Every structure is written in structure tokens, then in C-alpha cells.
Amino acid sequence: MQEGATDAQTETVIDRLVEMGFTVHRSTGVRHTVLGGVGPQDDFDPAALEVMDGVKECHRIVSPYKLASRSFRPGGTVIKIGGVEIGGPKIVSMAGPCSVEDTRQIELAADIVASAGAQVIRGGAFKPRSSPYSFQGLGESGLEILRVAANRRGLLVISEVMDQTQIPLLVQYSDILQVGARNMQNFNLLRELGKLRKPVLLKRGIAATIEELLLSAEYVMSGGNYEVMLCERGIRTFETSTRNTMDIAAMPVLHRLTHLPVIADPSHGTGRREYVVPMALASVAAGADGLLVEVHHDPDRALSDGAQTLRPDQFTGMMQQVRLVAAAVGRTA
Ligand code: PEP
Ligand code: MN
């Protein structure tokens, strides 16, 4: 309560808290009265209390998400897919082109990815492009191409699901379902993914706070699907020298707030090939459990995101450096 708040104002706030289901603990100081509300209610709006007469400020001490919260599983979550563990001591690398273009391109990409020691091949078959006139992806045939190339080399597949109607196809062909930045708050899609028992990689929205990302993860988890990994892929800021601003601090912040594995995507995080490797290394140093990186046999001719896509030699070099940084922070890659 504000300094000088009247007893009547304090009583009104207490009555309101009790009405909302809280047990109220009152501490009357020389200057300030502090009211502590304890109760099951966690979807209240602190601002609604802050505007009451005599109130100075109102803070929520418990997080608005529960299942995604670190306290739900203090030891952390390890997602096991085949022989790959995401969230364990070994850093998992997922790589491939932005979009699936044709069979040859994916076969070449799968060779690069597998021989450099990555575990998962990526590639969008359904592409969320900013322009409706840009290449929109190959759809099911793209997924089939990925699956065949992955199976031949013992890789896993990650690919993006853009809406509910695509879920059955993605479940059939992909090991991990990627939710893109533009869909982070597509709550209908998140609820449907909650009904699956299949890993989901949830990307941070371009203007989403970490709390909003965790609330989106909570949507999936509240349906019973606990196999969620979070992905930092850069956020939009006033800076224009990179496509997005890669939030490296998201790695330690997320590890403090949640038990879910955290993946870094320095490709979308920077938008330029030359910045991808340093930011991948920084992400690993900052605690990322995995990397999601774009690589193409001929990135200058890629149908999407060529500027941020690594050449094969750059990717192989990155993987070698990732192993060194991983070792420096007590992990393997
Ligand atoms: C992608 O991974 O190619 C992609 C579209 O990513 P984002 O949703 O992060 O933009
Ligand atoms: Mn892309």
C-alpha cells in the first residue's frame, strides 16, 4: 500500500483479495502496509489491483505457467528420440536448408549434415513466407524427400507445421514438429499439438517476451504433451544491421525459469551467414542444449533464406568449433 494509505483503503483491498480466493497476510510497517495474498488463484491481473485506491504496487511471486516452470521438474527434461537425447549433456545439432527444394538438394544436405556429425536434418515443406508470392514449399512430397534422406543416414527429421490441418502429415514424416516464430501464439495449433505424444520445437515469436514463450509452451503441455523444446531465434529490435537480434541471454534465463531444453537458431537470429558461426558458439557457451542451423550445398541459389545459410565447409568448421566450446563448458557435441 502507498505511504499514507487509509485503513479504509487497506480494508477494501483486503476484502477484494479475500473475494478473489486469497488468504491475506498483513504486515503493518511504520510507513507501508504490505499485503501478501496466498491462494490457488494464478490468473489474476496484478494491474487490476494496482489501480485500486491506496495501492502502491502489486507483484506476482509465482509464475503464471506451472508445467513449464523449473520447479515442476528441477532436474530438467531430457527428450529422447531414438538414440538422441535433447536436454542431456550432449549438445544436439539440427541442420539443413531453410526449405526442401528437390530430392538432390536434400540428399546433398543430408550428406553434409551427417558427415559433420549432426543428428537431425531440417527443412521446411510448408513455408511461412512474409510474401504470398515467395516459394511456399513442396508440401507432402517435401516431407517424403526428407524422410527418405534421413532414414538412409540414421538422421532424425525436424520440419515446420503451420496449421492444424497439417498435423497428420507431419506426424507421419517428421520426428520433431517445429512451430515457427509467426505461430508461437497460434493457440489453436498449440492446443492440437498438446494432444500428440510427439516432440515439439517451439520458436520464440519475433516480438515475444520469454514469459509469453513459456506460456505458449504451457498451452502444449497442458494438453499432456510434455516433450517441448524452446528455440531462441532472435527478436525484432531497433537494430538493423542484423535481421533479428539474437538474445543470447535467453539461454541462461530460460534455464533458470524452465526445465525444458533450449535450442538456439543463430541463422534466423542474425540473417547473415558470416554472423552465424560466432553466435552458434556464443549460444553453446551460454548453455544452449542444441543448435538449429541452415546449411545448403549452394546457398547463393537457395530458394529461401540464402543469405543466412552456411556453405558446407562453414558448417563443418562450425561443428568442429562447437565441440571445442562444448568441452570448455563441460559438455559434449
Ligand atoms: C525456419 O526455421 O525456416 C523459419 C521459418 O523460422 P522462424 O519461424 O524462426 O522464422
Ligand atoms: Mn529459414
Side-chain angles (χ1 to χ4, degrees):
M1 303 299 293
Q2 289 163 4
E3 202 175 335
T6 65
D7 274 345
Q9 287 171 335
T10 305
E11 288 305 326
T12 307
V13 175
I14 292 174
D15 288 348
R16 179 68 191 117
L17 285 167
V18 169
E19 209 176 273
M20 289 165 74
F22 290 105
T23 304
V24 181
H25 300 260
R26 177 176 178 157
S27 151
T28 310
V30 185
R31 293 195 177 170
H32 290 288
T33 292
V34 177
L35 305 175
V38 181
Q41 179 103 4
D42 55 14
D43 62 350
F44 73 97
D45 179 8
L49 288 165
E50 252 165 17
V51 296
M52 292 182 73
D53 290 341
V55 174
K56 182 165 186 280
E57 53 199 307
C58 174
H59 300 284
R60 186 202 302 273
I61 293 178
V62 291
S63 61
Y65 44 85
K66 301 231 165 310
L67 302 170
S69 157
R70 171 60 75 173
S71 57
F72 184 71
R73 257 189 210 163
T77 286
V78 178
I79 299 175
K80 298 188 180 70
I81 318 170
V84 177
E85 295 192 350
I86 304 172
K90 186 170 167 136
I91 290 155
V92 173
S93 298
M94 314 181 191
C98 180
S99 19
V100 180
E101 299 167 7
D102 54 49
T103 305
R104 176 172 172 270
Q105 171 231 23
I106 292 299
E107 288 292 328
L108 289 169
D111 280 338
I112 299 159
V113 168
S115 64
Q119 296 85 356
V120 187
I121 183 163
R122 64 149 288 150
F126 297 101
K127 292 306 302 176
R129 304 306 301 282
S130 297
S131 162
Y133 307 116
S134 302
F135 176 59
Q136 305 284 307
L138 295 183
E140 181 170 7
S141 63
L143 291 171
E144 218 177 303
I145 292 171
L146 272 177
R147 188 74 260 169
V148 170
N151 286 354
R152 259 190 215 140
R153 296 158 181 90
L155 296 169
L156 298 175
V157 170
I158 179 169
S159 200
E160 177 164 353
V161 56
M162 279 177 61
D163 77 73
Q164 292 94 299
T165 61
Q166 298 164 352
I167 291 177
L169 274 182
L170 268 297
V171 165
Q172 188 186 339
Y173 292 103
S174 189
D175 301 295
I176 305 170
L177 275 60
Q178 173 175 326
V179 177
R182 294 157 190 80
N183 263 322
M184 188 202 85
Q185 289 189 315
N186 180 342
F187 301 120
N188 291 328
L189 174 61
L190 299 178
R191 278 197 197 285
E192 286 304 311
L193 294 171
K195 296 178 186 163
L196 307 178
R197 295 297 174 266
K198 187 114 188 167
V200 171
L201 177 140
L202 180 61
K203 286 191 151 198
R204 182 177 181 181
I206 57 168
T209 63
I210 285 175
E211 183 169 292
E212 286 162 343
L213 172 62
L214 290 168
L215 282 167
S216 288
E218 190 82 8
Y219 262 91
V220 180
M221 298 178 81
S222 63
N225 187 358
Y226 290 177
E227 309 224 300
V228 179
M229 53 199 109
L230 305 169
C231 180
E232 166 58 38
R233 47 78 74 206
I235 46 176
R236 185 162 289 182
T237 68
F238 52 82
E239 183 53 68
T240 53
S241 51
T242 47
R243 177 180 178 183
N244 292 296
T245 297
M246 181 80 186
D247 182 7
I248 297 290
M251 259 60 77
V253 171
L254 283 168
H255 280 315
R256 183 171 65 85
L257 298 177
T258 181
H259 55 87
L260 298 172
V262 180
I263 310 297
D265 173 352
S267 304
H268 295 84
T270 60
R272 282 176 73 105
R273 205 176 287 163
E274 62 204 293
Y275 304 143
V276 171
V277 177
M279 293 314 264
L281 300 179
S283 301
V284 170
D289 299 299
L291 293 171
L292 181 66
V293 172
E294 289 180 339
V295 59
H296 190 289
H297 68 280
D298 184 4
D300 294 330
R301 287 185 181 75
L303 291 186
S304 57
D305 285 351
Q308 66 190 34
T309 299
L310 296 180
R311 293 188 311 265
D313 60 305
Q314 290 177 308
F315 179 67
T316 306
M318 182 197 87
M319 290 295 286
Q320 284 161 359
Q321 288 183 288
V322 162
R323 282 183 205 106
L324 296 175
V325 175
V329 293
R331 303 184 78 167
T332 56

